[in-house]
Amino acid sequence: MQEQDIPIDINAGKLSDWLINRRHCKKDWHTNILTIREKINNAIQNMPAHDGIASLLSGAYINYFYCVKIVEILKETEADTKNLFGRYGSQRMKDWQEILRLYEKDNIYLAEAAQILMRNVNYEVPNIKKQIQKLEQMLTELEKKETEYKKSENIAHTEYNGLCKQLGITGYSTVRRELMDKVKELPEIYQRVAEKTKSLDKVVEFYSAFVEFTFGQQYDNDCVSMIKYIIEKGNTTTFEYTYGEAPMSIIDPSLNIKADEDESNGRPNVDANTIDFGNLDLEYGEIDFGEEVDLNAGGGIDWGDESTVQPAEEIDYNISLEESGIVVEAAGHEGGVAMGSEAYTILDNPTTRSEFINQLFELEAFMKLRLYEFKGDDRNNLLSFSQMQDASSILQLSTTETTQNMLDNVQVILSEILHNNVQHLHNIKHYPRYVDVVATTLKQKLNLIDRMVTQQESMRQKQEDTQNQINKLRPLLKLVIQRTKELQTEIEQDISKKYKNRTVYLTGGVNML
């Protein structure tokens, strides 16, 4: 095999050293390149309008091989300036020919081309790829965030709609006004509870007979007096319950709820600095507004200036008429005016309502105990069969079935008066701070929904901007890789000419891209 047929393999990473070692280029070639770059920058300012030149000057670092192509194009555009001796009179042509001469001196162009090749391979192309990869990762994260914000919006919508459903309002008009309108349903609800309470007459009779039989005839049987009163007279005013006479007139206390005039139709205006009351616990269909009230304890809720609810056995109904403002005529309390808390019905007044609920729990506990005795061992019964010989017929004839039916009746009324909706309406009417908490919580949810919608729009805009950057970098990457391959081929061909056209291979280099 002849030497001419043996290819020359050059490691692209060591091309610069190879050129210097074989004395194709000098070590100080860098000192002359600055002058050439300055002339190129000046020559670019005065170029003819030509598509080929525009393509060469875009998207890549201008090297010697580009300058050769530019001169070839100028031979066409500046042909009319050529004289008889074959020289061009155009300053453009003179500038670029001067640039080529400076490049070709000591093969400066070859050393620069080798440097550009390795810079593109080691830095330019990897850097553009890293930018695209980083932007694609950012795009994925933005899409994930948009999905999370959408999920948060849906959760807030669900919680908002669940809370509105719990309160029995739509939530699309002024919230406080809707709450005030819902309070008007309470009288009908309490009237229904009072009607159902009349079905407890057998339960009360059974309980009273048991207490009387247990403690003897001398015992003043005044148990569950509130329930007895409602069975007999219904849900009267507190005035009538207290004094035994119906009032001449009733002055209903006004609702101490301030309508929010700042709320717009559709959605309330929510300040960005609204107090955060935390997440609502809707798992059991209730709103978490702090500690629950222990109704069995007969206590009350501390609402600031509002009077706390006292246990049923501690209520003092010896109210001073002068202090209450009731107008009393000569004949007892006839003609009195019910006002303030005495204008409320028994089931509406927080104090008497609490007493009524406590007495229902008292009946429930008693009936559960009797039912347990029926199902248990007779020896463990509170009253044995022999003791029941002297008891009333209602006690003697009671069975597991009748006791269970009476317990069911008590629990039906308890479940109705302690229903979430009734509890909310009662709190809304009597505790203004409760209304503030409800209204603020609803505003919080709407504010959260709006923020999530805004965040989603922001994420979509960022995705669009990121995608635009990616779309700009991908063509640039393709162009740089293409120009780098062309440059490597041109270097191989140029070196080949210096070795009698032997085949030259640059290993690595663009093949690594």
Side-chain angles (χ1 to χ4, degrees):
M1 180 181 291
Q2 298 181 357
E3 183 182 0
Q4 185 69 24
D5 298 329
I6 300 174
I8 301 174
D9 293 332
I10 306 172
N11 189 311
K14 299 179 180 180
L15 178 60
S16 296
D17 295 335
W18 188 90
L19 293 172
I20 294 174
N21 291 336
R22 283 157 180 75
R23 299 184 180 182
H24 294 295
C25 304
K26 293 183 177 181
K27 292 182 179 181
D28 61 347
W29 66 270
H30 302 87
T31 58
N32 298 320
I33 198 65
L34 295 177
T35 303
I36 299 175
R37 302 311 307 177
E38 184 178 353
K39 288 183 175 294
I40 290 176
N41 291 332
N42 293 332
I44 288 175
Q45 307 303 321
N46 181 26
M47 296 298 291
H50 191 279
D51 293 339
I53 293 177
S55 175
L56 290 171
L57 297 179
S58 63
Y61 187 84
I62 299 177
N63 56 53
Y64 167 79
F65 301 103
Y66 283 12
C67 295
V68 173
K69 294 177 182 178
I70 290 174
V71 170
E72 292 298 324
I73 294 173
L74 289 177
K75 287 180 181 179
E76 299 177 5
T77 60
E78 309 298 319
D80 56 347
T81 65
K82 191 174 183 181
N83 59 26
L84 296 175
F85 299 100
R87 297 183 178 179
Y88 292 89
S90 169
Q91 185 61 40
R92 293 172 181 168
M93 179 64 79
K94 291 180 180 180
D95 292 340
W96 287 102
Q97 286 177 338
E98 175 66 17
I99 292 171
L100 290 182
R101 282 193 294 271
L102 293 174
Y103 256 135
E104 291 168 356
K105 183 180 179 181
D106 297 327
N107 293 323
I108 293 177
Y109 74 93
L110 201 54
E112 184 196 44
Q115 185 188 59
I116 295 174
L117 175 66
M118 295 317 302
R119 185 179 62 192
N120 288 351
V121 171
N122 295 331
Y123 300 104
E124 294 294 336
V125 173
N127 182 51
I128 297 176
K129 287 183 175 180
K130 286 181 180 178
Q131 290 185 49
I132 294 176
Q133 184 179 7
K134 185 177 180 180
L135 289 171
E136 288 176 341
Q137 183 179 359
M138 184 184 300
L139 187 62
T140 302
E141 292 176 355
L142 290 172
E143 292 173 351
K144 183 178 179 181
K145 285 185 177 180
E146 182 186 0
T147 303
E148 291 175 353
Y149 288 135
K150 182 63 178 178
K151 182 178 179 181
S152 298
E153 179 196 354
N154 293 336
I155 292 175
H157 262 301
T158 301
E159 291 178 350
Y160 180 80
N161 294 333
L163 180 54
C164 289
K165 183 178 180 180
Q166 205 176 66
L167 295 171
I169 62 177
T170 63
Y172 294 108
S173 60
T174 55
V175 173
R176 292 177 183 270
R177 180 66 61 186
E178 282 196 87
L179 293 176
M180 293 169 66
D181 292 339
K182 287 294 294 183
V183 170
K184 297 176 182 177
E185 299 177 6
L186 278 176
E188 181 181 348
I189 295 174
Y190 289 145
Q191 182 60 35
R192 187 166 62 250
V193 172
E195 289 296 326
K196 290 184 178 181
T197 304
K198 293 180 179 180
S199 65
L200 301 181
D201 54 343
K202 294 295 182 182
V203 182
V204 172
E205 182 183 354
F206 180 78
Y207 183 42
S208 299
F210 185 90
V211 172
E212 183 177 344
F213 177 78
T214 303
F215 292 96
Q217 297 292 338
Q218 71 279 5
Y219 177 73
D220 185 12
N221 191 354
D222 194 29
C223 56
V224 293
S225 58
M226 179 74 70
I227 297 178
K228 290 179 179 178
Y229 180 86
I230 292 178
I231 291 174
E232 181 180 353
K233 295 188 177 182
N235 185 30
T236 67
T237 62
T238 307
F239 180 97
E240 183 175 349
Y241 174 72
T242 304
Y243 304 110
E245 298 177 352
M248 180 66 70
S249 60
I250 301 175
I251 301 178
D252 292 324
S254 58
L255 282 177
N256 192 17
I257 302 176
K258 185 182 295 183
D260 191 352
E261 300 299 335
D262 293 334
E263 291 178 311
S264 60
N265 290 332
R267 281 193 173 184
N269 294 326
V270 184
D271 185 11
N273 297 322
T274 303
I275 301 174
D276 186 1
F277 286 88
N279 295 327
L280 296 179
D281 183 6
L282 299 180
E283 183 179 357
Y284 300 101
E286 299 181 0
I287 309 174
D288 182 8
F289 290 108
E291 297 182 358
E292 296 184 356
V293 181
D294 186 359
L295 297 175
N296 293 323
I301 307 171
D302 183 5
W303 296 97
D305 296 333
E306 298 287 341
S307 300
T308 57
V309 180
Q310 299 297 328
E313 61 273 17
E314 296 181 4
I315 300 176
D316 182 9
Y317 291 105
N318 296 324
I319 302 175
S320 172
L321 299 183
E322 290 78 13
E323 293 177 357
S324 65
I326 301 174
V327 179
V328 183
E329 294 184 354
H333 296 285
E334 255 184 90
V337 179
M339 56 192 303
S341 61
E342 291 184 342
Y344 293 129
T345 62
I346 296 173
L347 297 181
D348 195 14
N349 190 319
T351 303
T352 53
R353 179 179 183 274
S354 178
E355 182 181 357
F356 175 73
I357 294 173
N358 287 341
Q359 292 183 8
L360 287 175
F361 279 122
E362 183 180 343
L363 283 180
E364 182 188 36
F366 169 74
M367 299 310 300
K368 284 183 177 180
L369 181 60
R370 293 300 299 160
L371 191 61
Y372 172 78
E373 292 173 353
F374 275 121
K375 295 180 180 180
D377 190 351
D378 291 340
R379 291 176 296 178
N380 296 327
N381 287 352
L382 293 180
L383 296 177
S384 64
F385 179 78
S386 59
Q387 291 175 307
M388 280 294 185
Q389 298 297 324
D390 300 328
S392 61
S393 59
I394 192 172
L395 291 177
Q396 295 185 33
L397 298 177
S398 61
T399 62
T400 302
E401 290 75 14
T402 58
T403 304
Q404 182 65 57
N405 291 335
M406 288 188 285
L407 175 60
D408 292 341
N409 291 337
V410 174
Q411 290 178 335
V412 166
I413 299 173
L414 265 175
S415 63
E416 185 153 344
I417 197 169
L418 294 179
H419 191 275
N420 290 334
N421 188 37
V422 179
Q423 294 277 59
H424 291 320
L425 294 180
H426 176 78
N427 292 338
I428 288 168
K429 181 175 182 179
H430 294 284
Y431 308 114
R433 289 176 59 187
Y434 183 92
V435 179
D436 293 337
V437 172
V438 172
T440 305
T441 302
L442 289 171
K443 289 181 181 180
Q444 279 289 112
K445 292 302 174 185
L446 290 176
N447 189 33
L448 177 60
I449 293 171
D450 291 336
R451 288 206 310 271
M452 293 301 100
V453 171
T454 303
Q455 290 290 352
Q456 290 176 63
E457 182 62 31
S458 175
M459 292 301 103
R460 284 192 288 269
Q461 183 61 47
K462 289 181 179 179
Q463 290 177 49
E464 183 178 350
D465 296 340
T466 303
Q467 187 63 55
N468 290 336
Q469 294 181 50
I470 294 175
N471 294 339
K472 291 179 181 178
L473 286 174
R474 280 175 177 165
L476 177 60
L477 175 63
K478 184 178 180 181
L479 177 62
V480 173
I481 292 177
Q482 177 187 345
R483 295 286 174 86
T484 303
K485 289 180 178 179
E486 293 173 357
L487 179 61
Q488 180 167 320
T489 301
E490 289 166 342
I491 293 174
E492 290 173 343
Q493 292 174 354
D494 192 87
I495 295 176
S496 176
K497 292 176 183 179
K498 298 180 183 301
Y499 289 89
K500 300 179 182 181
N501 295 324
R502 285 177 62 183
T503 304
V504 176
Y505 293 116
L506 291 179
T507 60
V510 75
N511 300 320
M512 299 170 58
L513 300 180

